[in-house]
Amino acid sequence: MKQVVKRRARIARVRRAQHLQASAHAQMAENRVLTLEGQAGHLIRLASDLDATPGEATGRILANAGELAQRLRAARDGLTDAIVGARATALERAARRIEARIRQESAERLDQRARTALAEYLERKGNVPVRRRPRLDGGDS
């Protein structure tokens, strides 16, 4: 009976560690999405800052600024696939985290049931009178 309790406690510890690991992976994936979205927003801001401003400018300066803005917008468009992939990964890892949490809670319930059963067993065993074996020498001493 004690072995069952020990085994279930070990399983509960493993499930807890698996949930922590899944949570960390899910958080890293979410951070990756936020980082990519932040970078895309930064590229758009940089490109919009390069738009023509009032004042003196030569054709060469305007052409260079326009080309740089176009490259920044193209780089931002290139991040779109990475953002979509990162979001999909984040959703998948969030689902894995939830599954790991469910398994952890199940293992904790099984562990608690095993502990309760052991406590009840030991209590019943303690209330049973001890049956002594008869002594072979007659029991006079």
Side-chain angles (χ1 to χ4, degrees):
M1 188 62 107
K2 289 181 184 179
Q3 291 299 329
V4 172
V5 172
K6 287 181 183 179
R7 188 173 356 136
R8 290 193 177 164
R10 186 180 76 242
I11 291 170
R13 283 192 308 272
V14 168
R15 297 287 191 230
R16 198 172 305 116
Q18 288 173 339
H19 175 255
L20 288 174
Q21 186 178 25
S23 294
H25 285 232
Q27 186 61 44
M28 287 175 14
E30 185 62 33
N31 288 343
R32 176 82 174 139
V33 170
L34 293 175
T35 299
L36 288 172
E37 288 175 343
Q39 289 173 348
H42 186 66
L43 289 173
I44 289 297
R45 281 191 302 277
L46 286 174
S48 66
D49 288 346
L50 289 173
D51 288 341
T53 57
E56 284 190 35
T58 64
R60 187 169 139 224
I61 292 173
L62 289 175
N64 286 341
E67 182 182 347
L68 186 55
Q70 183 62 29
R71 287 184 182 188
L72 289 171
R73 287 187 179 99
R76 191 255 179 224
D77 291 341
L79 281 178
T80 303
D81 291 339
I83 291 171
V84 169
R87 282 184 184 152
T89 301
L91 287 174
E92 176 188 338
R93 292 198 176 160
R96 285 185 190 173
R97 183 192 62 80
I98 291 170
E99 290 171 5
R101 179 64 182 176
I102 291 169
R103 285 192 306 270
Q104 176 192 356
E105 290 173 351
S106 175
E108 287 173 353
R109 282 192 302 271
L110 285 174
D111 180 38
Q112 187 59 40
R113 275 192 245 149
R115 288 176 191 273
T116 303
L118 177 63
E120 290 172 358
Y121 170 75
L122 291 176
E123 185 177 320
R124 281 192 315 265
K125 185 178 174 183
N127 290 336
V128 175
V130 177
R131 183 174 168 214
R132 298 190 185 263
R133 294 171 67 188
R135 294 178 61 157
L136 297 176
D137 61 356
D140 291 344
S141 49

